[in-house]
Amino acid sequence: MSEVTLKQVVKAYGRNQVIHGIDLAIGSGEFVVFVGPSGCGKSTLLRMIAGLEEITAGEIAIGGTVVNDMPPRSRDIAMVFQDYALYPHKTVYENMAFGLRLRKAPDAEIRARVGEAAGILQIEHLLERKPRELSGGQRQRVAMGRAIVRKPKAFLFDEPLSNLDALLRAEMRVEIKKLHQKLGNTVVYVTHDQVEAMTLADRIVVLQAGNLIQYDTPDGIYNRPAAQFVAGFTGSPPMNFLPASMGEGGRTIRLPGGVDLPVPARRVAECARHAGREIVFGLRPEHIGIARDGDASHAVVPGRVMLVEPLGSDTLGLVRLGAADGAGEMTGRFAPDAGIRVGQGVPIGLAIDHFHLFDKTTGVAIRGADW
Amino acid sequence: MPFGLSRRGTVWIAGLIVAANGFFPAVWILLTSLKTETELIRAPITYLPEAATLDNYATAFTAQPILRFMWNSFVVASLSTALCVLVSALAAYALTRLRLPHRNLIMSVLLAIAMFPLISLMVPLFKVMRELGLLNTYLALILPYAVLSMPVCTLVMASFFQDIPPDLEAAAMVDGCSRVGALFRVIIPLSAPGVFTAAILAFVNAWDEFLLALTMMNRVNMRTLSVGITLYQGEFAFPWPLISAALIIAIVPICILIALFQERVVGGLTQGGVKG
């Protein structure tokens, strides 16, 4: 029983509201990642769950107990901070033991629990050191150790890897995932890094300007984004967007320069409601390739290669679409042996089933009944 | 550089002047305390005592209850320092960590209070203490001393608290501390140099203070050192060597205190201002 539930949670500083009524249900043992650009309110939301920020309205429950008026120490949570927040005047052992000591745990139990956590995180040899004698990665491990010795209902992580270099970050990401698989606690994790969000999460909460935009599995966030903002936030390189308009009866998508793309039959009904309106057309780089003859799943558009970026495993190519080069540019992910060259004219295939369409004014996805 | 001195040379000379200015009176008092009264008034003057004597020290202990004065000073200074540091720490914490409206205004008012001349408070303070029946009690000095040092102590500690990452305190609160618990278990231990600096300032202020001590305590056995030393002079006699000996006795505890905490205080006085 360690689910975390938010009901219509609001945060305001004076008249300035920063979190606008968020509803969220995090299951027991689930790994949920809050993601969004800086200033979207993700850290504030986490600190509200921790009790470090008061909530202006709404209700937060941890393990079925409403914790609105409980101080952080009574919420049975542990938190890992961005800058580690290790007590500089205490040894690693004392850092990890601090929470247990405050709860008046017997010495033998403290020794056992710190030893166990240190074993899991492979920091036994560091226990007598002070935080200043540790590297960034070691400090991060100690911070996690301090959290796990307490065996709390939920772990809260506030951008724990953002101070580490890229290599170490990837390593620690794996460690965190392993740790979650081993301990099975509920985890709420804040990051602005979409790779961390995609790789770690059971479910992702995408926040924008204090609003919850989408709460879904990584697959759902990536393949069925609810809004243009979500679509643009995930993937590297991100989704391509072109301004477009919806054709008669919702059967075609008209790109600039008079390029028409077909709408898949199952989506025509929904698209018909947007007929004649301005929309945003989106397509991920992996759904753009060199057209093959007789492939009905792709719409074929003439293109010209403007830039080639070989990555080894595949090659990114910036292509200009349309006969008169008027439809705009998109980045495609090509096979390294596709042999694309700058200046080359090639027929480009766009995967019809993966077209993303968004309302131009609201940014909300235009979806058929089936997704 | 003036007079063709190197930068290093100028710094040395300036340092020597400052040190001499500070040390000369103390050394002069020390030398005087070792002379006899006859030697002191003799012309031409002698700089080093011709026949150094410790008689003045012996007399200092018998002519007046100097140990009692010292005890009074110690009680007043340490209790007022403890009270001042406790209240100032809470105030400094509130000023640096809580979302207080008009924070800067409060800081400015604190600074303004620190600049009040003590003499302007003397009469009201005396009246208050008399009404409360606190004259000739330790409280009559402990309370005003604590309050008088609070603005400076608060500002010193606030500058230290500001440098401590708020997440450390958040971590302590998640780990199981209350807000005040986090202050005393994490913030204050980490700002030890700042707290020591504030404590030394408060202690020395209380130890040296004369005007209030003279006003609030008129019984001999309640006098503090600073006032007690004046009792060595008679109506017509001014026994300089004896007074000097008493002064040296009064200075010694402070010197020991500073020596013990010297590293932390020097660190404290320089650290707050410069972000490292």
Side-chain angles (χ1 to χ4, degrees):
Chain A
M1 277 292 283
S2 52
E3 64 277 349
V4 178
T5 319
L6 279 67
K7 279 185 197 155
Q8 281 300 307
V9 169
V10 172
K11 176 75 191 179
Y13 296 106
R15 282 188 203 153
N16 179 22
Q17 202 179 79
V18 292
I19 302 280
H20 311 286
I22 288 195
D23 286 300
L24 194 65
I26 298 168
S28 185
E30 203 173 8
F31 197 127
V32 168
V33 175
F34 292 177
V35 71
S38 45
C40 71
K42 54 190 188 299
S43 280
T44 307
L45 199 56
L46 188 81
R47 294 173 74 87
M48 285 158 85
I49 296 174
L52 296 170
E53 294 275 355
E54 284 177 17
I55 67 173
T56 311
E59 188 181 288
I60 296 179
I62 299 172
T65 312
V66 175
V67 296
N68 282 18
D69 299 319
M70 276 189 195
R73 64 179 187 277
S74 312
R75 296 190 179 200
D76 200 8
I77 42 130
M79 191 157 169
V80 177
F81 294 85
Q82 179 173 4
D83 52 7
Y84 322 121
L86 299 176
Y87 311 120
H89 58 309
K90 294 180 188 288
T91 61
V92 168
Y93 181 90
E94 283 305 323
N95 262 281
M96 290 167 73
F98 187 60
L100 296 172
R101 280 200 203 292
L102 289 172
R103 285 173 174 74
K104 309 237 180 316
D107 274 349
E109 188 191 336
I110 294 177
R111 265 197 305 279
R113 288 229 231 157
V114 172
E116 186 192 359
I120 292 173
L121 294 161
Q122 296 163 1
I123 50 172
E124 292 113 320
H125 59 295
L126 305 176
L127 288 176
E128 295 313 314
R129 297 204 197 158
K130 291 273 179 71
R132 63 171 177 275
E133 301 165 64
L134 306 179
S135 69
Q138 288 171 331
R139 285 179 202 182
Q140 191 56 60
R141 277 168 199 273
V142 175
M144 292 204 294
R146 187 172 63 181
I148 67 178
V149 288
R150 296 243 320 277
K151 301 194 173 164
K153 278 192 189 134
F155 289 119
L156 310 179
F157 288 85
D158 190 3
E159 308 214 21
L161 305 184
S162 55
N163 284 351
L164 304 179
D165 62 56
L167 204 64
L168 202 53
R169 202 181 312 154
E171 200 177 290
M172 290 305 289
R173 210 166 61 207
V174 175
E175 295 275 332
I176 291 176
K177 188 143 189 166
K178 277 188 191 160
L179 199 64
H180 177 245
Q181 281 168 2
K182 192 179 174 101
L183 303 174
N185 291 55
T186 308
V187 175
V188 186
Y189 187 108
V190 164
T191 181
H192 60 264
D193 180 348
Q194 48 112 356
V195 179
E196 258 170 56
M198 295 291 286
T199 51
L200 288 171
D202 293 323
R203 283 199 283 174
I204 296 174
V205 174
V206 183
L207 293 161
Q208 183 190 23
N211 290 300
L212 192 158
I213 306 295
Q214 191 170 1
Y215 182 30
D216 208 337
T217 59
D219 174 61
I221 296 283
Y222 191 80
N223 292 313
R224 295 177 297 282
Q228 187 184 347
F229 169 75
V230 179
F233 198 75
T234 51
S236 175
M239 187 183 281
N240 296 289
F241 295 111
L242 287 180
S245 57
M246 192 65 84
E248 277 297 301
R251 272 183 286 274
T252 54
I253 300 154
R254 171 151 295 193
L255 298 183
V259 176
D260 278 347
L261 301 174
V263 170
R266 62 194 168 87
R267 298 175 65 183
V268 169
E270 175 66 19
C271 287
R273 295 205 271 136
H274 294 266
R277 285 203 218 151
E278 299 217 339
I279 60 165
V280 173
F281 170 74
L283 195 60
R284 292 212 179 269
E286 58 269 36
H287 300 132
I288 298 172
I290 296 172
R292 284 168 296 181
D293 287 339
D295 182 359
S297 67
H298 286 69
V300 181
V301 179
R304 182 170 302 280
V305 179
M306 304 307 293
L307 190 72
V308 176
E309 294 176 277
L311 297 176
S313 58
D314 42 29
T315 299
L316 299 179
L318 182 70
V319 290
R320 189 168 279 181
L321 298 179
D325 293 345
E329 290 177 348
M330 282 192 164
T331 299
R333 197 182 281 280
F334 298 89
D337 55 3
I340 55 168
R341 296 185 319 275
V342 174
Q344 183 188 14
V346 281
I348 299 295
L350 310 176
I352 297 171
D353 276 341
H354 296 281
F355 286 180
H356 293 271
L357 306 174
F358 304 96
D359 188 297
K360 194 186 171 195
T361 40
T362 63
V364 174
I366 301 167
R367 298 172 151 189
D370 57 338
W371 65 279
Chain B
M1 286 296 146
F3 315 115
L5 278 172
S6 70
R7 188 186 164 78
R8 210 181 161 77
T10 322
V11 169
W12 266 98
I13 289 175
L16 279 175
I17 291 172
V18 171
N21 182 46
F23 266 102
F24 179 74
V27 172
W28 192 247
I29 290 169
L30 178 68
L31 293 176
T32 308
S33 75
L34 299 172
K35 293 176 188 171
T36 59
E37 224 167 315
T38 359
E39 185 184 345
L40 188 75
I41 52 173
R42 202 165 57 202
I45 58 165
T46 54
Y47 289 93
L48 292 174
E50 275 176 356
T53 168
L54 290 175
D55 286 353
N56 294 317
Y57 288 88
T59 319
F61 280 101
T62 50
Q64 293 289 342
I66 193 167
L67 286 175
R68 173 74 199 188
F69 298 155
M70 202 179 265
W71 171 249
N72 292 342
S73 279
F74 177 76
V75 170
V76 167
S78 33
L79 292 183
S80 68
T81 300
L83 179 65
C84 169
V85 168
L86 180 73
V87 176
S88 304
L90 294 169
Y93 176 82
L95 284 170
T96 48
R97 284 296 198 266
L98 306 185
R99 280 196 189 90
L100 282 182
H102 313 301
R103 218 174 61 102
N104 288 335
L105 180 69
I106 298 174
M107 287 282 213
S108 313
V109 170
L110 269 182
L111 199 64
I113 293 172
M115 296 181 181
F116 275 4
L118 178 60
I119 193 83
S120 64
L121 303 171
M122 197 67 73
V123 174
L125 271 176
F126 180 78
K127 284 193 164 179
V128 169
M129 293 303 167
R130 195 181 54 192
E131 291 306 311
L132 292 174
L134 291 177
L135 292 181
N136 285 307
T137 67
Y138 290 137
L139 271 182
L141 291 182
I142 291 171
L143 294 177
Y145 286 171
V147 172
L148 287 171
S149 292
M150 269 175 208
V152 172
C153 289
T154 305
L155 293 172
V156 167
M157 283 197 265
S159 77
F160 274 83
F161 292 179
Q162 245 155 15
D163 290 345
I164 293 178
D167 271 354
L168 270 181
E169 203 183 327
M173 284 164 70
V174 169
D175 265 348
C177 288
S178 63
R179 223 174 226 293
V180 176
L183 170 66
F184 284 101
R185 284 170 182 274
V186 175
I187 303 209
I188 288 188
L190 288 177
S191 342
V195 176
F196 276 115
T197 308
I200 294 274
L201 287 175
F203 191 90
V204 173
N205 278 348
W207 189 269
D208 290 351
E209 204 283 330
F210 178 79
L211 220 46
L212 266 179
L214 180 69
T215 320
M216 302 292 178
M217 311 286 209
N218 50 29
R219 278 198 214 128
V220 172
N221 68 344
M222 290 306 285
R223 294 285 194 195
T224 57
L225 259 182
S226 55
V227 180
I229 287 168
T230 62
L231 300 179
Y232 285 95
Q233 72 190 62
E235 200 176 343
F236 304 107
F238 219 90
W240 273 119
L242 181 58
I243 292 175
S244 299
L247 279 172
I248 293 294
I249 295 168
I251 293 170
V252 165
I254 290 281
C255 289
I256 292 173
L257 192 74
I258 300 272
L260 282 179
F261 296 111
Q262 188 204 22
E263 252 173 60
R264 303 202 118 155
V265 173
V266 171
L269 288 172
T270 52
Q271 194 182 326
V274 188
K275 301 234 171 187

